[in-house]
Amino acid sequence: MNSIELAEEYLNIFFQTQNFDELRKILHQNLEFIGPYYKFNSAEDYINSLKENPPYDCSYDIISSTWNESSANVIYTFRKPGVETLMSQFFKIKNSKIIKIILIFDTAVFNFS
């Protein structure tokens, strides 16, 4: 798979199938995940976190995607009940696996008062 195919497969697993064990096929064991709320330094830790606290009732619509041989970036509208925001996810590829994910979004929309 090329970089955008890996990114699309990741998004499909995350949002559609939620079979997080399938991520092992596309994530490098030394995955570095950086997001506003969480940071992980291994695919196993990231997958375990998703299994312990899975995303629920959420969807996405891709606005734009760009890619090259070693990376992909996907900008999309994220939706779940009471929340709609833009998100950007950058995927760095090494040896045909995702080795780094940077997730960017405005956390203010998730702060419920």
Side-chain angles (χ1 to χ4, degrees), residues 43 49 70 81 96 99 103:
S49 172
S70 62
S96 300
I99 191 161
L103 174 63

Side-chain angles (χ1 to χ4, degrees), residues 43-57:
E44 206 57 39
D45 288 347
Y46 179 62
I47 291 166
N48 288 336
S49 172
L50 290 173
K51 290 165 83 172
E52 290 170 13
N53 189 18
Y56 63 94
D57 202 14

Side-chain angles (χ1 to χ4, degrees), residues 16 72 97:
Q16 304 298 320
K97 293 204 173 196

Side-chain angles (χ1 to χ4, degrees), residues 6 15 27:
L6 286 165
F15 284 102
L27 297 180

Side-chain angles (χ1 to χ4, degrees), residues 10 27-35 38-46 89-93 97-103:
Y10 167 89
L27 297 180
H28 192 283
Q29 67 182 14
N30 296 324
L31 171 76
E32 179 183 11
F33 177 91
I34 302 168
Y38 301 102
K39 292 183 180 181
F40 299 98
N41 290 311
S42 77
E44 206 57 39
D45 288 347
Y46 179 62
Q89 243 174 323
F90 172 80
F91 301 88
K92 178 83 172 151
I93 310 305
K97 293 204 173 196
I98 299 169
I99 191 161
K100 185 172 196 172
I101 299 172
I102 300 174
L103 174 63

Side-chain angles (χ1 to χ4, degrees), residues 3-22:
S3 62
I4 195 62
E5 290 169 332
L6 286 165
E8 290 170 346
E9 180 65 11
Y10 167 89
L11 292 168
N12 181 58
I13 292 169
F14 186 94
F15 284 102
Q16 304 298 320
T17 70
Q18 296 195 339
N19 183 357
F20 302 119
D21 289 322
E22 290 290 307

